[in-house]
Amino acid sequence: MRPDILNPLFAETDTLEGVGPKLKKPLEKLGLTRLRDVAYHLPERFVTRRAVETLDEAGEGEQIVIAVTVTEHRASGNRRAPYRVFAQDSAGNVLVLTFFGRASYTAKKQLPMDAKRWVAGKLDRYGDMLQIVHPDHVLEEGGETLGHLCEPVYRLSEGLTQPRVSGLVEQSLAKLPDLPEWIETHQLDKEEWPAWSDAIKLAHKGEHGKARDRLAYDELLANSLALMLVRADNRKRRGQPLMGDGGLRDKLDLPFEMTGAQTRSIREIEGDLAQEAPMLRLLQGDVGAGKTVVALAGMLIAVEASTQAALLAPTEILARQHYETMRKLAEPTGARVALLTGRDKGKVREATLMGLLDGSIDIVVGTHAIFQDKVAYKNLTMVVIDEQHRFGVGQRLMLANKGKAAPHVLAMTATPIPRTLTLAQYGELDVSKLDELPPGRQAIETRVVGQARLDEVAAGVERHITTGQQAYWVCPMVRESDFMTEDIAAAEARYAHLAERFGKDVVLVHGQLTPELKDAAMERFASGDAKVLVATTVIEVGVDVPNATLMVIEQAERFGLAQLHQLRGRVGRGAEKSVCLLVRGDTLSETARERLALMRETQDGFRLAEEDLRLRGGGELLGTRQSGDTPFSVASLDQITKLLPVAYADAQMLMEHHGGLDGARGEAARMLLYLFDRDWGVRTLRGG
Ligand code: ADP
Ligand code: MG
């Protein structure tokens, strides 16, 4: 149970003044559903503005505050096109104020014709005029007070403004409870860290490195503790020891020799399965490293022991692909493999459910449908989770309640993770690494081409598909912006452009399509019906289409190394030689240059992951969204590198000297688990 003292932090956002159903949505989009989330929505950066009399005093890119008079409203017929308000400064210079989407309503209200207003924001160019896109402030008076002030800049979503978010943050900060301290006094003194509530308040006020470090440390400590609790709990659990006699594995009829890494991993899995404590193991291996047969060998051990195994895939398509592969591979062994997804209905579904219950199905492959309440197993003892970074540890734990005894869990991921992050992300798991690719793999030819040659690239794609092969075309994030719609718009524009050339041969996939539409487009591509797949990065984890042998990545300099590597891994899966074209913009930073050079140089995912961390540690992407790559929302990569080893060691101390989380400090640390949504760690304490 959550300690009562934390309740104010877990009130929903609509308990804040001014938040109704209309604001709740955009807040949710940012992951802000409770006061706690709002308080921890730390600024991306701070701005200091300069108050100027006229635009002549200001330059492009500058953050200013200026008094203007509204002279014209210019709406456009198109819903997607921006709404523009024209204004003049005291010298008659024109300033354009630009609004996208729903922000235009606010613009109409706040900037009536002929009104005099103070506006604050960043100047940039619009044709031969200056503009501010989405001013941070529009005030009737008092603009002076906004000049020379250090002001937080928050990540937004459509429908939110900076002042709105600031106001909500203020409100939630006023409600922070007085929590007991979980960090030892001498450590606080040594690091010069503020107390928890001070740290949060300071982190919203300015660049307080100490405050932010403390908050990051808290998060890393919470994560380490939770993982250790899970691990400790797992040691106490009882699973079913599985002894396979090798009878089924011997019948596998593989057209290749296992690599050393595969053999080693299977041996490690076999060792775990023989124990009573349930296996908790991560199988880490780059795309194409051969994880599938390793997983199958593991599942066959369960079947040899006359029990059942399940393979859980993150999407419908992946489930089907895995099912086909597993069914074919397992055929000579006689093991019976079935598919179960949310799409199965009626008789087929009934038959599968019956087979799982009476044990006539040995291995089931599917989406999370395989763990619904209505699905009962005769004796499920092993679960394989594919691309498990999509599932949280909490979900992994839920699976543990399906079988009679806790099932053995093998998680697989194709994302090579730097060593430091492995600890953070999978600290509760043992790790098997497939660090050796099967022999005879063709290298993917990687070339970097300039943006100016985009037409040649398109012509190249056309030649390519006339040979019967397929191609991916990846559009980048337009800018790390508050308005995702711009990314989608860019991908749609590119799609329209390519559709002129390729007609119905091209399909579009992006993050805002419904799952049905996305699946439909993916399926057209997977079946070979569509030749070119235009996508935003949603294909990162995804389909296996060996016939797709060309990958075009636009504005490749905007992607991180790990991301580029994942994308490139979509090709190079068939017999034909594959090519990856990295299309680069005109101006590149030093780090961007280095990234592209590395991509050309190596295909080793583990090496790229380490380099990625090194390059990003340099801070290039600081302030941009990182949560996709790490399980943390507060701690940056820098802070993870610096503070995780400390937090991990401290968590170990706490576990050893405070008997789990007993005692005063243990009680305090317990708060922390709730604060960072690691309460699944606490639940294990109750033997759940
Ligand atoms: P991933 O790790 O990405 O899941 P897969 O298991 O899909 O990789 O394997 C990729 C391809 O490599 C498959 O076609 C598989 O049959 C093949 N493969 C797996 N192991 C070996 C091996 N030891 N030697 C040669 N080919 C292999
Ligand atoms: Mg795979």
Side-chain angles (χ1 to χ4, degrees):
M1 277 280 283
R2 187 172 65 215
D4 287 342
I5 189 172
L6 292 172
N7 287 350
L9 287 169
F10 285 81
E12 298 209 11
T13 50
D14 55 10
T15 59
L16 291 171
E17 222 165 286
V19 181
K22 223 160 120 203
L23 260 197
K24 238 182 136 178
K25 274 243 174 69
L27 287 172
E28 263 164 33
K29 250 199 187 143
L30 290 172
L32 312 181
T33 58
R34 307 153 304 180
L35 264 55
R36 175 241 167 261
D37 309 324
V38 179
Y40 272 105
H41 191 56
L42 301 181
E44 288 194 309
R45 58 197 162 82
F46 292 85
V47 286
T48 313
R49 311 175 188 286
R50 202 157 65 86
V52 294
E53 285 280 326
T54 72
L55 288 172
D56 306 318
E57 295 168 36
E60 212 179 312
E62 217 183 321
Q63 290 280 359
I64 61 156
V65 178
I66 191 169
V68 294
T69 308
V70 178
T71 56
E72 188 187 344
H73 276 232
R74 207 177 283 176
S76 68
N78 184 343
R79 191 171 51 87
R80 280 183 195 280
Y83 186 87
R84 292 206 160 83
V85 176
F86 290 74
Q88 281 183 359
D89 67 14
S90 58
N93 298 310
V94 176
L95 178 64
V96 185
L97 303 168
T98 303
F99 300 87
F100 289 92
R102 288 203 294 165
S104 61
Y105 297 115
T106 335
K108 282 177 209 162
K109 233 189 295 163
Q110 293 187 327
L111 294 158
M113 280 295 290
D114 301 321
K116 187 171 174 182
R117 290 287 181 270
W118 289 91
V119 294
K122 186 173 162 198
L123 276 183
D124 61 45
R125 195 149 279 288
Y126 173 60
D128 53 3
M129 290 175 277
L130 286 170
Q131 74 168 345
I132 295 177
V133 179
H134 288 205
D136 295 327
H137 301 276
V138 176
L139 296 179
E140 286 183 36
E141 57 188 337
E144 297 89 344
T145 59
L146 293 172
H148 303 285
L149 256 186
C150 181
E151 215 179 286
V153 179
Y154 294 102
R155 194 151 66 78
L156 300 177
S157 63
E158 203 173 334
L160 286 174
T161 61
Q162 291 296 346
R164 233 322 149 31
V165 174
S166 291
L168 298 180
V169 168
E170 282 299 325
Q171 282 189 57
S172 51
L173 292 185
K175 297 188 182 178
L176 294 185
D178 216 356
L179 298 183
E181 183 56 79
W182 44 83
I183 303 180
E184 301 218 58
T185 319
H186 73 84
Q187 191 173 2
L188 285 176
D189 291 347
K190 191 177 110 231
E191 304 283 357
E192 298 171 37
W193 283 344
W196 172 74
S197 60
D198 293 337
I200 295 198
K201 287 172 188 160
L202 286 168
H204 284 281
K205 296 232 162 63
E207 319 254 358
H208 287 283
K210 300 276 182 200
R212 280 200 89 127
D213 276 358
R214 188 228 144 107
L215 298 177
Y217 170 88
D218 285 350
E219 187 178 36
L220 297 168
L221 183 65
N223 192 67
S224 303
L225 269 176
L227 292 174
M228 282 172 200
L229 286 167
V230 169
R231 222 196 146 90
D233 178 63
N234 193 62
R235 271 194 224 104
K236 285 182 276 171
R237 293 178 90 96
R238 288 174 168 232
Q240 187 172 337
L242 301 173
M243 306 291 185
D245 60 2
L248 295 182
R249 278 169 285 161
D250 285 346
K251 289 194 198 140
L252 277 177
D253 187 18
L254 300 175
F256 49 74
E257 291 277 306
M258 295 271 195
T259 64
Q262 284 171 317
T263 313
R264 192 183 63 233
S265 301
I266 294 173
R267 217 181 304 122
E268 286 163 352
I269 293 168
E270 195 175 12
D272 285 357
L273 292 178
Q275 309 296 318
E276 185 166 62
M279 168 168 77
L280 271 185
R281 182 170 288 277
L282 177 72
L283 179 62
Q284 208 184 4
D286 219 334
V287 167
K291 293 184 289 298
T292 314
V293 283
V294 174
L296 177 62
M299 293 197 288
L300 286 176
I301 296 175
V303 181
E304 285 167 9
S306 306
T307 69
Q308 295 165 304
L311 191 161
L312 176 63
T315 66
E316 175 92 23
I317 300 176
L318 282 176
R320 283 175 196 282
Q321 283 191 349
H322 269 308
Y323 167 69
E324 287 304 329
T325 317
M326 291 295 177
R327 196 178 49 85
K328 274 185 215 129
L329 283 172
E331 188 144 47
T333 70
R336 291 150 303 184
V337 184
L339 174 73
L340 180 64
T341 74
R343 278 210 202 147
D344 296 315
K345 300 265 142 61
K347 289 224 167 78
V348 183
R349 184 181 156 84
E350 289 303 312
T352 309
L353 292 188
M354 190 52 80
L356 290 173
L357 188 60
D358 69 16
S360 57
I361 294 171
D362 300 308
I363 295 175
V364 64
V365 179
T367 55
H368 50 265
I370 59 178
F371 292 115
Q372 277 163 5
D373 282 344
K374 289 191 190 102
V375 185
Y377 293 82
K378 180 162 188 226
N379 192 1
L380 177 70
T381 57
M382 178 176 182
V383 177
V384 178
I385 310 176
D386 191 22
E387 286 307 344
Q388 77 97 47
H389 59 280
R390 288 218 175 171
F391 300 95
V393 180
Q395 276 160 302
R396 263 179 264 160
L397 284 175
M398 259 172 41
L399 303 183
N401 297 323
K402 254 298 165 181
K404 286 188 194 103
H408 299 279
V409 174
L410 177 70
M412 302 199 282
T413 177
T415 314
I417 300 161
R419 272 182 303 273
T420 20
L421 288 187
T422 310
L423 191 64
Q425 212 138 324
Y426 303 116
E428 95 286 18
L429 303 177
D430 298 306
V431 179
S432 293
K433 236 179 178 180
L434 293 183
D435 48 8
E436 178 186 359
L437 284 186
R441 281 287 149 76
Q442 282 196 44
I444 299 167
E445 186 187 328
T446 303
R447 291 202 296 258
V448 179
V449 297
Q451 178 79 26
R453 292 168 57 197
L454 209 55
D455 261 348
E456 283 172 55
V457 172
V461 172
E462 188 163 9
R463 275 196 306 281
H464 186 80
I465 64 172
T466 52
T467 68
Q469 296 174 58
Q470 291 163 280
Y472 294 101
W473 188 299
V474 177
C475 304
M477 280 189 293
V478 176
R479 56 178 178 158
E480 191 72 30
S481 81
D482 325 332
F483 303 96
M484 282 281 285
T485 44
E486 289 180 44
D487 304 349
I488 308 289
E492 277 173 345
R494 175 65 66 220
Y495 167 73
H497 180 229
L498 290 172
E500 278 172 28
R501 204 187 257 268
F502 301 112
K504 281 213 294 228
D505 282 343
V506 51
V507 286
L508 172 69
V509 170
H510 61 66
Q512 293 197 348
L513 293 180
T514 62
E516 290 76 27
L517 283 175
K518 194 157 43 179
D519 278 8
M522 286 283 201
E523 266 168 25
R524 273 200 64 207
F525 186 69
S527 71
D529 179 33
K531 307 295 182 208
V532 183
L533 178 73
V534 178
T536 51
T537 48
V538 290
I539 56 164
E540 242 185 290
V541 174
V543 289
D544 183 15
V545 184
N547 192 45
T549 48
L550 176 61
M551 167 67 65
V552 178
I553 305 176
E554 269 193 76
Q555 298 188 21
E557 73 276 9
R558 295 184 179 220
F559 293 99
L561 268 179
Q563 226 176 354
L564 287 173
H565 176 67
Q566 288 292 310
L567 288 169
R568 179 170 62 184
R570 297 293 110 199
V571 298
R573 294 162 165 242
E576 300 290 336
K577 181 178 170 55
S578 287
V579 177
C580 175
L581 295 179
L582 304 173
V583 183
R584 48 157 282 186
D586 297 330
T587 46
L588 292 192
S589 70
E590 195 51 43
T591 355
R593 206 177 292 279
E594 203 177 332
R595 277 206 300 265
L596 297 185
L598 274 161
M599 282 300 291
R600 258 193 322 220
E601 188 188 309
T602 181
Q603 245 168 273
D604 177 346
F606 288 105
R607 162 134 191 250
L608 288 172
E610 296 290 343
E611 297 282 359
D612 198 36
L613 187 61
R614 179 177 66 78
L615 289 175
R616 292 212 273 172
E620 173 166 277
L621 293 187
L622 212 78
T624 60
R625 270 170 263 164
Q626 302 176 327
S627 48
D629 324 346
T630 78
F632 304 115
S633 59
V634 175
S636 69
L637 285 171
D638 261 353
Q639 290 171 319
I640 295 171
T641 315
K642 181 171 67 175
L643 296 171
L644 180 62
V646 188
Y648 196 81
D650 291 346
Q652 257 168 341
M653 289 263 283
L654 254 172
M655 289 288 290
E656 281 162 20
H657 296 293
H658 297 258
L661 291 182
D662 295 333
R665 247 190 97 210
E667 282 294 332
R670 214 178 272 244
M671 309 268 172
L672 199 54
L673 296 180
Y674 285 98
L675 264 186
F676 287 101
D677 294 321
R678 260 69 174 183
D679 42 321
W680 37 261
V682 184
R683 253 179 275 140
T684 64
L685 283 178
R686 317 241 174 271

